Amino acid sequence: MALYVQKFGGTSVGSVERIEAVAEKIKRFRDEGHDIVVAVSAMSGETNRLVALSQAISNQPSPRELDVLLATGEQVTIALLCMALQKLDCDAVSYTGTQVPILTDSAHTKARIQSIDTVKMRRDLDAGKVVVVAGFQGVDQFGSITTLGRGGSDTTGVALAAALKADECQIYTDVDGVYTTDPRVVKSARRLDRITFEEMLEMASQGSKVLQIRAVEFAGKYNVPLRVLSSFEDGPGTLISLEEEDIMEQPIISGIAFNRDEAKLTVLGVPDVPGVASRILGPISAANIEVDMIVQNVAEDRTTDFTFTVHRNDYDKVMKVIEQVADDLGAVEVKGDNTICKVSIVGVGMRSHAGVASKMFDALASESINIQMISTSEIKIAVVIAEKYLELAVRTLHAAFGLSDESLV
Ligand code: ADP
Ligand code: ASP
Ligand code: MG
C-alpha cells in the first residue's frame, strides 16, 4: 500500500458539490488501502476576492496582515473537505499551516518553506485518518502566518510529499495533465505522458501556470515523484520524470510557454563605460523588483542602448526609477512598452538538434510577427513580441514544431 499526497486546486474544490466529489475520490483511494495526505487550495475565486477586499482599503496593505487575510481561503476548504469525508464515513482531520506546523521564513506573501513537522500527520495516518492540510500557508519563527505566493498550494503538496517521503505527489487540477501548451489557447494541444523536471521547470518559469515554479524546484531537489492529473475524470495524467532517457523518442520541442505579464524598458544613448549596467539595474534590485531579460547593444558612437523586461505590475514603479537613473547617467531617452509578451519554446531535444532557433524565427516571420528581444538557454528559446500576436505566435509555433494532436486540428 502506498502513501500519496494529493493536492486539489481551486476549481477542483470550487463548490460544495466539487468538494463532495473530491471527498469521494479520496475515499476510493482509502478503500484501496492507501494512506492519503491532502493539500487544498481556496475555493476558486476566493483568493482574488480577498485580495480585492484588501485593495479596497489600501493599495499597499501590510504584507503580514495580507497573509492573515489570504490564509483564510484555504482554512474554509480544509474544514469543508473533512466534513464531506466524514459524511462518507471516512475519518479525516484538518490542519492549518500553523497547526502542522509548516515552518517558513518571514518573507510575507512569498515565504519559503524551511521545515515540516510530520509527527501529528504520522500519528493520524497510523490511526487510519485522512490528513487534510491547508495549502499555500505556513508559519514563521515568530508565530506569524505566512503565504507562499500565488499558486503556492502546489508547493505545499510537494513539500508535504518530500517531508513524508510519499510514494507520489498527485496534483489534481482542471486539465488532465501537462499539455504541449495551454489547451485554453491551442485547442489541438496534446497531453504529454511524461515531461522531464528540467523542461517542466523551464515551462513553469516561462509562464505555464499549470504548476507553481517552486513546486517543480522542490520536487526536483527532493526527488519527489510528481504527477499532474484531472480531478474531474480518471486518467494517467502527466508524470514529471527525473530521467531524460525515460522518455522515448524525445521530440525536439516538448512544449510552448507564454507570459502576458511582461513590460519592456529601454534606456537609449547610455554612455558606453564600465559600471553602467550595474547603475541601471542596481536601484531596481534595491527596490526588490525582478528583472527578466536583459539586452545591451554593441556601442557604435560611444553610447549604447540598454533594454530589459520586468513584470507588468512593476512597470510604473520601474519607469520612475529608471527616468531618474537615465538623468544621472546622461542618457538620451527612456522608452517603455507594457503591451508586450514572451513566448518560449522548451525541449531537452534542442541540445542535440541544430536549426531550432531559425525554424522558430522563420515560423514567426511567416506570420509577419516582429521579434523584439531574444534570449536562450540550453533547452529554451524565448522571444518578446507584441502582446496582440500572442495567440497567433503560440498557434503558429505549435504547428511548426508538429506538436498538435492531428485529430483535433
Ligand atoms: P489549480 O487551480 O488546480 O491550481 P491552475 O489554474 O493553477 O489550476 O492551473 C491549471 C491551468 O493551467 C489549466 O486550466 C490551463 O489553462 C493552464 N495551463 C497553462 N499551461 C498549461 C500546460 N502546458 N498544460 C496544461 N495546462 C496549462
Ligand atoms: N489560493 C492560492 C491562490 O489562488 C494558492 C493556490 O491556489 O495554489 O493563489
Ligand atoms: Mg495552480
Side-chain angles (χ1 to χ4, degrees):
M1 290 303 115
L3 167 60
Y4 295 126
V5 172
Q6 303 185 324
K7 179 260 170 175
F8 292 90
T11 351
S12 308
V13 293
S15 64
V16 165
E17 292 70 32
R18 288 299 315 152
I19 290 175
E20 293 195 308
V22 164
E24 274 168 26
K25 198 177 205 38
I26 295 168
K27 169 104 173 25
R28 283 202 295 279
F29 277 91
R30 273 301 294 149
D31 289 347
E32 286 169 19
H34 302 301
D35 282 337
I36 308 293
V37 173
V38 183
V40 284
S41 290
M43 295 167 79
S44 58
E46 179 62 8
T47 310
N48 287 345
R49 188 184 75 87
L50 295 168
V51 169
L53 282 179
S54 72
Q55 292 286 327
I57 291 181
S58 162
N59 56 13
Q60 275 189 313
S62 141
R64 182 186 183 280
E65 301 315 323
L66 188 57
D67 278 351
V68 173
L69 177 71
L70 297 190
T72 62
E74 274 69 12
Q75 188 169 338
V76 169
T77 328
I78 53 171
L80 292 176
L81 181 56
C82 281
M83 291 174 195
L85 284 163
Q86 287 157 2
K87 193 163 110 179
L88 299 174
D89 282 329
C90 185
D91 206 358
V93 57
S94 71
Y95 291 109
T96 63
T98 307
Q99 288 173 316
V100 172
I102 296 177
L103 189 70
T104 71
D105 61 20
S106 300
H108 285 289
T109 75
K110 47 177 185 277
R112 282 182 181 268
I113 296 177
Q114 292 174 333
S115 63
I116 297 184
D117 186 338
T118 58
V119 172
K120 284 185 226 162
M121 290 188 285
R122 286 265 176 228
R123 186 198 57 204
D124 294 328
L125 290 172
D126 290 344
K129 294 179 188 172
V130 171
V131 178
V132 181
V133 178
F136 175 56
Q137 57 178 264
V139 62
D140 73 1
Q141 57 171 327
F142 309 109
S144 294
I145 295 172
T146 54
T147 65
L148 311 177
R150 297 305 303 267
S153 299
D154 293 340
T155 303
T156 305
V158 175
L160 286 170
L164 291 160
K165 301 196 172 45
D167 293 284
E168 192 167 272
C169 178
Q170 302 174 338
I171 307 281
Y172 288 92
T173 182
D174 56 2
V175 273
D176 64 348
V178 177
Y179 276 64
T180 46
T181 193
D182 189 340
R184 286 183 214 225
V185 170
V186 180
K187 292 281 165 277
S188 61
R190 247 184 326 111
R191 182 182 59 79
L192 300 163
D193 285 326
R194 283 169 176 242
I195 184 168
T196 65
F197 271 109
E198 208 185 354
E199 288 170 314
M200 195 62 239
L201 197 59
E202 206 57 275
M203 290 277 281
S205 69
Q206 297 305 309
S208 280
K209 296 196 170 73
V210 63
L211 282 177
Q212 198 204 31
I213 176 167
R214 280 197 191 162
V216 188
E217 273 169 7
F218 220 102
K221 188 164 164 198
Y222 294 97
N223 230 328
V224 178
L226 186 60
R227 195 181 288 276
V228 176
L229 311 115
S230 164
S231 66
F232 296 80
E233 57 193 68
D234 291 335
T238 299
L239 182 69
I240 324 294
S241 72
L242 206 55
E243 297 301 326
E244 217 170 283
E245 300 82 68
D246 277 3
I247 299 178
M248 304 287 283
E249 292 183 51
Q250 182 67 52
I252 302 175
I253 298 303
S254 297
I256 300 175
F258 54 85
N259 192 356
R260 285 178 204 279
D261 312 321
E262 300 256 335
K264 181 179 83 165
L265 292 103
T266 302
V267 192
L268 292 153
V270 193
D272 183 34
V273 292
V276 162
S278 129
R279 281 184 64 188
I280 294 176
L281 298 179
I284 295 172
S285 84
N288 211 2
I289 293 168
E290 269 177 51
V291 171
D292 183 14
M293 282 193 203
I294 304 170
V295 173
Q296 185 187 308
N297 291 343
V298 177
E300 294 243 324
D301 54 356
R302 299 234 197 97
T303 69
T304 179
D305 299 339
F306 191 93
T307 305
F308 59 96
T309 61
V310 292
H311 193 285
R312 201 175 287 180
N313 290 347
D314 294 324
Y315 179 70
D316 292 335
K317 201 162 157 192
V318 173
M319 185 53 104
K320 273 204 196 91
V321 173
I322 284 303
E323 276 171 344
Q324 183 59 52
V325 174
D327 236 22
D328 297 347
L329 283 172
V332 174
E333 193 187 353
V334 180
K335 277 191 178 161
D337 186 352
N338 61 356
T339 59
I340 56 150
C341 68
K342 187 170 70 171
V343 176
S344 315
I345 58 173
V346 174
V348 289
M350 245 184 243
R351 286 201 183 108
S352 48
H353 285 82
V356 181
S358 63
K359 186 167 178 175
M360 179 184 196
F361 304 154
D362 281 351
L364 294 172
S366 73
E367 294 292 342
S368 306
I369 299 171
N370 189 35
I371 300 171
Q372 304 180 17
M373 290 169 87
I374 301 169
S375 94
T376 62
S377 78
E378 226 186 324
I379 65 159
K380 168 208 78 191
I381 304 170
V383 295
V384 166
I385 58 173
E387 190 189 1
K388 63 182 176 192
Y389 295 127
L390 189 144
E391 280 86 1
L392 177 63
V394 174
R395 277 201 305 273
T396 304
L397 293 171
H398 199 263
F401 285 97
L403 295 178
S404 296
D405 179 341
E406 293 306 324
S407 65
L408 298 173
V409 176

